[in-house]
Amino acid sequence: CETYNTSAVAALAAAPAVTKPRTSTPWGLACVAGFLGVWVGSVLLPIGICVAAVLGYWKAAGVASGVVLGLRLVQDSLPVVPFLRRVVGDGIASWHRAEVVYEGGVPGKRALVCVHPHGIFSSGLQVLALSEEMADVSVIVAGFLKTLAPAFSALCSIGGVRLVGAGRSSVAGAMEEGGTCVVVPGGFHEATISSTQVDRVYLKSRKGFVKYALRHGYSLHPCFVFGENQTHSNLQGGWSVRLWLNGWSIPAIAPFGCWWMPMMPRRAPLKVVVGPAVEMPTIRSPTAEDIDKYHQAYVEAVCALHRRHAGAGPALEVW
């Protein structure tokens, strides 16, 4: 990995900031715990169905399977409930005492906002996707969240957040529409290497998002969530095995958040900074050289964004 020292650089003084409303801590706790519970529960539900079937609980397995299939059918057609989006978004932001900064203005059409670091549960992504300024976005996620966790996808749809599976056809279809998309390029790998001692991004071998941006004429907006790595501690070491597991879409995290509920993120203050666009040409069939060129430009933009805002915070490592 490469390390970038950012200790001597101050934040941009002129950057416009959007500070999330502060609501009560109990409501923030309820929103974060509820969101986390739906996420974990919907991911574990298919496993529970399989276990119930193996143990002979056919009726329970059948009812649960019907619920999953029904949600899959309606998850993309549910009506948006603006009030729910607002109160849940404010609650999550209040728990993290979050601030959102747009250096070059709010990204518009044909913009791909790339969020770093992933962290354990992508708290900064939640704050950003539920903010008023990003009210109509498509969030590109791991395919299993779209196909095997329809309860979570349905909740996001009601909140006005459209989830798009990371498959080629799904991503291409979303970008053909020309709207604003959000992605966490580092994925499971970036979650695995999370550390409270240093900021880490997993980018050196992640170039697919650059290829899609070139094909569809999207600008790339680096977004860094300062404080994301403080929401959970994470066991360090064993990288070769853990990153190998990530290659099979198996999370390899060992997180510890709040002492009274280790999966619950700590109330670490978050500063979500969306940087100015890295403009991209439209190249329907980009070559490897094209992709490498603009990937390097993007990595440099991420490092520059970190330097501007990290202050005396941790250094940045690019893996």
Side-chain angles (χ1 to χ4, degrees), residues 118-129:
H118 183 289
I120 302 302
F121 288 117
S122 298
S123 298
L125 173 61
Q126 297 169 33
V127 170
L128 181 67

Side-chain angles (χ1 to χ4, degrees), residues 45-69:
L45 182 58
I47 300 175
I49 292 173
C50 294
V51 171
V54 169
L55 295 178
Y57 296 102
W58 297 106
K59 183 177 292 186
V63 171
S65 296
V67 172
V68 170
L69 292 174

Side-chain angles (χ1 to χ4, degrees), residues 164-201:
V164 177
R168 294 180 181 178
S169 60
S170 298
V171 174
M175 297 184 83
E176 283 290 346
E177 296 176 5
T180 304
C181 296
V182 179
V183 68
V184 184
F188 285 153
H189 294 73
E190 202 165 84
T192 295
I193 63 176
S194 178
S195 168
T196 57
Q197 302 303 310
V198 64
D199 286 326
R200 290 175 176 156
V201 295

Side-chain angles (χ1 to χ4, degrees), residues 117-307:
H118 183 289
I120 302 302
F121 288 117
S122 298
S123 298
L125 173 61
Q126 297 169 33
V127 170
L128 181 67
L130 290 171
S131 65
E132 295 180 6
E133 297 76 28
M134 303 290 283
D136 186 20
V137 298
S138 296
V139 180
I140 301 169
V141 297
F144 77 89
L145 280 177
K146 184 68 176 176
T147 58
L148 298 180
F152 178 75
S153 182
L155 175 65
C156 291
S157 294
I158 293 173
V161 178
R162 175 192 178 195
L163 298 187
V164 177
R168 294 180 181 178
S169 60
S170 298
V171 174
M175 297 184 83
E176 283 290 346
E177 296 176 5
T180 304
C181 296
V182 179
V183 68
V184 184
F188 285 153
H189 294 73
E190 202 165 84
T192 295
I193 63 176
S194 178
S195 168
T196 57
Q197 302 303 310
V198 64
D199 286 326
R200 290 175 176 156
V201 295
Y202 193 89
L203 264 179
K204 286 186 176 180
S205 61
R206 291 298 169 94
K207 301 179 181 181
F209 68 103
V210 177
K211 180 191 294 186
Y212 280 106
L214 288 169
R215 283 179 176 174
H216 299 280
Y218 267 61
S219 60
L220 295 176
H221 288 257
C223 172
F224 207 95
V225 184
F226 295 91
E228 181 75 58
N229 63 338
Q230 301 301 315
T231 60
H232 292 84
S233 300
N234 182 42
L235 182 67
Q236 301 296 289
W239 302 127
S240 58
V241 174
R242 294 168 70 180
L243 295 175
W244 177 80
L245 289 172
N246 293 155
W248 292 91
S249 298
I250 301 174
I253 56 176
F256 191 93
C258 292
W259 64 269
W260 43 269
M261 186 186 295
M263 295 293 284
M264 185 76 178
R266 303 186 189 107
R267 290 200 71 203
L270 299 182
K271 183 178 181 181
V272 184
V273 184
V274 181
V278 177
E279 298 296 343
M280 312 282 280
T282 301
I283 305 176
R284 285 297 180 180
S285 299
T287 65
E289 290 75 17
D290 293 328
I291 295 170
D292 287 344
K293 173 184 175 181
Y294 288 101
H295 178 265
Q296 182 59 36
Y298 176 77
V299 173
E300 291 174 358
V302 172
C303 295
L305 175 65
H306 191 273
R307 285 194 297 270

